[in-house]
């Protein structure tokens, strides 16, 4: 009851701008749910203080506090006091416990996976209006109401982007190294999960053509065996045996852009253009991955190890070119992936999965010579060209974090650059989002 009371009273105090109550809740060494000065006492009717939208968010926050339990907003409506709600949570039958989000051990044998709470919203239910709220009292950390994603506010910076030509791992189209002035922006703390993407499909109900634009493949494509979602009687869901906290893979640029628009309360049907997009630019992504300095890895210049990132360390089962035919024989549930909430590939800003087995899409259109253009050094630079609809993807495959694309099947600690069409799904492409807080478009911190 103490946990339930703290969550609900903190939210009421925030929404009603009750600074004294919020101060007590946040600072009291021993929290007392019977404190007469709290907005909600254990037997008070919650519904008299909270509207439907607030209760949806309350249920979401309670789910974060009790990650092992699936808390539906209906539970709050049916048990409208802190006392009865607390008992209802304790009494939830095992059938309402969430499916385990612990990834199967597909990481390197002997490696112990360390996870944090998985906060992304999966399953069905209503979608809350888009808002960003402070998370855990940290000035730089927020959560997004639409999908439960945590985001981190990265400070403005003069960031060095790209590789110098004298770097042994650099490729032609990764240079020249140049400085870009970046405004402060929000970046999702982890890639979008399978469960969250399934929920997006269920709530948006895209047409068959749109689904093929997003995440489906022709029947004759050998990679169909690795499509992680399936359509059943209850809608889209993660395939049996696959953890819902795995990163969404085999998603096109269109599918990534559509999700990012939807999660920010915009019209996802505008997914074919980057003119309005919440995907990070190449420069934002690289800065988020390694900070303002040109580090070799997100964690610095120390060698990559299985404890720091998850890649396919044993490439002996794949041919030298990483051809599709060489790796589709691996069952979906045995792919070398770990959950998005696993502490691997962590950047200086605390962002997870910034190095590993999954590519991440960027907003930019791909161009081999963009870094040679003066526009590449503009403030908040990005290549806005949309000719032929080609877009960049960011590599997250163990080497220096860099823009553009690399497949997870490319093997051990490897860095490369490539391009792909927005309607072609490649093995291991995921998505990550950002939002730039500017005078015209700020994160919305609730109403």
């Amino acid at each position: 009851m103490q946990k339930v009371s703290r969550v609900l009273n903190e939210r009421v105090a925030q929404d009603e701008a009750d600074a004294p109550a919020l101060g007590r809740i946040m600072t009291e060494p021993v929290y007392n749910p019977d404190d007469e000065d709290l907005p909600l006492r254990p037997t008070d009717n919650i519904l008299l203080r909270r509207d439907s939208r607030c209760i949806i968010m309350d249920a979401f926050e309670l789910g974060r506090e009790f990650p092992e339990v699936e808390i539906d907003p209906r539970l709050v409506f049916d048990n409208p006091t802190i006392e009865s709600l607390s008992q209802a949570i304790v009494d939830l039958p095992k059938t309402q416990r969430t499916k385990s989000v612990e990834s199967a051990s597909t990481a390197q044998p002997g490696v112990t996976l360390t996870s944090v709470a998985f906060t992304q919203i999966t399953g069905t239910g209503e979608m809350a209006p888009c808002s960003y709220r402070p998370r855990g009292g940290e000035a730089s950390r927020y959560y997004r109401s639409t999908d439960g994603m945590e985001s981190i506010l990265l400070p403005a910076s003069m960031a060095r982007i790209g590789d110098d030509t004298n770097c042994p791992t650099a490729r032609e189209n990764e240079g020249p190294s140049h400085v870009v002035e970046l405004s402060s922006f929000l970046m999702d703390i982890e890639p979008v999960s399978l469960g969250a993407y399934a929920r997006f499909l269920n709530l948006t109900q895209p047409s068959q053509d749109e689904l093929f634009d997003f995440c489906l493949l022709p029947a004759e494509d050998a990679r169909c065996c690795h499509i992680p979602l399936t359509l059943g009687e209850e809608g889209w869901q993660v395939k049996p045996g696959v953890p819902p906290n795995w990163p969404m893979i085999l998603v096109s640029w269109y599918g990534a852009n559509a999700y990012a628009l939807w999660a920010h309360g915009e019209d996802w049907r505008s997914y074919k253009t980057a003119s309005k997009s919440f995907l990070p630019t190449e420069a934002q992504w690289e800065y988020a991955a390694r900070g303002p300095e040109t580090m070799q890895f997100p964690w610095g210049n120390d060698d990559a190890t299985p404890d720091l990132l998850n890649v396919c360390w044993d490439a002996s089962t794949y041919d030298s070119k990483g051809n599709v035919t060489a790796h589709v024989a691996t069952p979906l549930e045995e792919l070398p992936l770990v959950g998005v909430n696993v502490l691997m590939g962590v950047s200086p800003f605390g962002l997870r999965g910034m190095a590993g087995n999954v590519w991440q899409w960027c907003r930019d259109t791909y161009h081999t010579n963009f870094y040679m253009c003066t526009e590449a050094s503009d403030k908040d630079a990005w290549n806005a060209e949309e000719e032929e609809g080609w877009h960049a993807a960011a590599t997250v495959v163990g080497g220096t974090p860099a823009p553009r694309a690399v497949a997870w099947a490319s093997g051990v600690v490897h860095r490369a650059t490539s391009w792909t069409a927005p309607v072609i799904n490649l093995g291991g492409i995921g998505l990550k989002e950002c939002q730039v807080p500017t005078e015209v478009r700020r994160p919305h911190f609730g109403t």
Side-chain angles (χ1 to χ4, degrees):
M1 186 168 72
Q2 189 181 58
K3 288 184 178 180
V4 173
S5 177
R6 183 188 288 275
V7 168
L8 294 180
N9 275 293
E10 181 179 337
R11 285 190 43 76
V12 171
Q14 285 179 338
D15 291 345
E16 297 182 358
D18 187 345
L22 185 59
R24 284 194 301 276
I25 295 165
M26 301 296 290
T27 60
E28 283 292 336
V30 179
Y31 181 82
N32 177 17
D34 292 311
D35 185 343
E36 293 183 359
D37 292 324
L38 289 174
L40 286 174
R41 302 286 298 284
T43 58
D44 289 346
N45 190 331
I46 299 169
L47 305 183
L48 297 179
R49 299 287 290 270
R50 314 292 285 162
D51 60 23
S52 297
R53 181 186 66 83
C54 290
I55 287 174
I56 290 172
M57 288 303 301
D58 292 343
F60 164 66
E61 274 302 298
L62 287 167
R64 294 163 65 95
E65 186 67 37
F66 301 96
E68 75 283 1
V69 179
E70 185 173 357
I71 298 179
D72 188 273
R74 186 73 258 168
L75 193 68
V76 184
F77 286 111
D78 292 342
N79 302 274
T81 68
I82 290 174
E83 194 174 70
S84 60
L85 180 59
S86 302
Q87 189 60 51
I89 292 173
V90 172
D91 293 340
L92 277 176
K94 290 183 179 179
T95 54
Q96 287 185 245
R97 301 282 162 167
T98 53
K99 178 179 178 180
S100 172
V101 295
E102 290 302 319
S103 301
S105 184
T106 57
Q108 184 76 354
V111 173
T112 301
L113 301 182
T114 302
S115 302
V116 295
F118 177 59
T119 65
Q120 295 183 41
I121 305 173
T122 62
T124 55
E126 297 181 44
M127 177 177 167
C130 181
S131 65
Y132 280 87
R133 291 179 179 271
R135 172 62 182 160
E138 296 182 42
S140 63
R141 185 168 292 202
Y142 302 88
Y143 68 84
R144 189 166 57 236
S145 58
T146 51
D147 61 354
M149 178 69 74
E150 288 197 36
S151 302
I152 291 181
L153 184 62
L154 274 61
S157 176
M158 301 296 293
R160 180 160 291 280
I161 305 301
D163 267 354
D164 294 309
T165 52
N166 60 356
C167 176
T169 62
R171 299 194 175 208
E172 253 182 61
N173 52 0
E174 294 174 1
S177 173
H178 57 287
V179 174
V180 177
E181 181 182 354
L182 293 175
S183 303
S184 176
F185 63 97
L186 283 169
M187 184 80 167
D188 286 0
I189 201 168
E190 61 195 16
V192 173
S193 67
L194 299 179
Y197 202 85
R199 176 173 174 265
F200 157 66
L201 296 180
N202 288 327
L203 291 177
T204 56
Q205 296 290 308
S207 68
Q208 185 172 7
D209 287 343
E210 289 164 340
L211 285 168
F212 273 96
D213 276 351
F214 295 174
C215 56
L216 296 186
L217 296 167
E220 63 273 14
D221 194 310
R223 296 167 299 167
C224 282
C225 65
H226 286 163
I227 294 176
L229 305 180
T230 184
L231 182 60
E233 292 182 0
E234 298 180 359
W236 288 96
Q237 53 195 302
V238 181
K239 285 183 175 176
V242 180
N245 67 325
W246 269 9
M248 178 61 189
I249 60 172
L250 281 173
V251 62
S252 69
W253 187 91
Y254 285 162
N257 197 40
Y259 182 97
L261 288 167
W262 167 82
H264 287 87
E266 301 292 338
D267 184 2
W268 60 270
R269 295 175 185 84
S270 302
Y271 64 85
K272 289 191 176 182
T273 175
S275 58
K276 184 167 190 177
S277 175
F278 294 93
L279 297 175
T281 66
E282 289 187 15
Q284 287 174 330
W285 191 94
E286 185 167 348
Y287 168 56
R290 68 181 179 189
E293 302 300 325
T294 52
M295 299 294 185
Q296 181 72 7
F297 298 99
W299 54 84
N301 292 319
D302 293 340
D303 289 342
T305 67
D307 295 310
L308 293 170
L309 81 165
N310 180 58
V311 293
C312 181
W313 293 91
D314 180 7
S316 62
T317 56
Y318 307 109
D319 66 14
S320 60
K321 296 181 180 179
N323 288 334
V324 169
T325 53
H327 68 262
V328 294
T330 303
L332 170 62
E333 62 273 15
E334 294 179 16
L335 290 181
L337 297 171
V338 295
V340 296
N341 57 321
V342 171
L343 294 175
M344 281 189 162
V346 181
S347 83
F349 299 108
L351 304 168
R352 299 186 284 277
M354 301 305 286
N357 275 338
V358 179
W359 304 351
Q360 295 171 7
W361 283 114
C362 292
R363 182 181 186 181
D364 300 58
T365 302
Y366 173 80
H367 194 288
T368 53
N369 298 321
F370 178 62
Y371 284 3
M372 297 181 183
C373 303
T374 56
E375 291 86 351
S377 295
D378 288 347
K379 183 176 180 180
D380 297 320
W382 70 288
N383 186 10
E385 250 184 341
E386 293 200 40
E387 186 178 354
E388 297 182 10
W390 299 88
H391 291 269
T395 172
V396 287
V397 183
T400 306
R404 304 160 183 137
V406 179
W408 67 260
S410 296
V412 184
V413 185
H414 179 70
R415 180 180 193 273
T417 310
S418 181
W419 47 262
T420 182
V423 291
I424 295 178
N425 290 294
L426 298 184
I429 288 184
L431 56 147
K432 192 178 272 277
E433 307 165 36
C434 77
Q435 178 166 329
V436 182
T438 66
E439 288 301 317
V440 213
R441 187 177 65 195
R442 292 183 182 276
H444 179 53
F445 301 119
T447 54

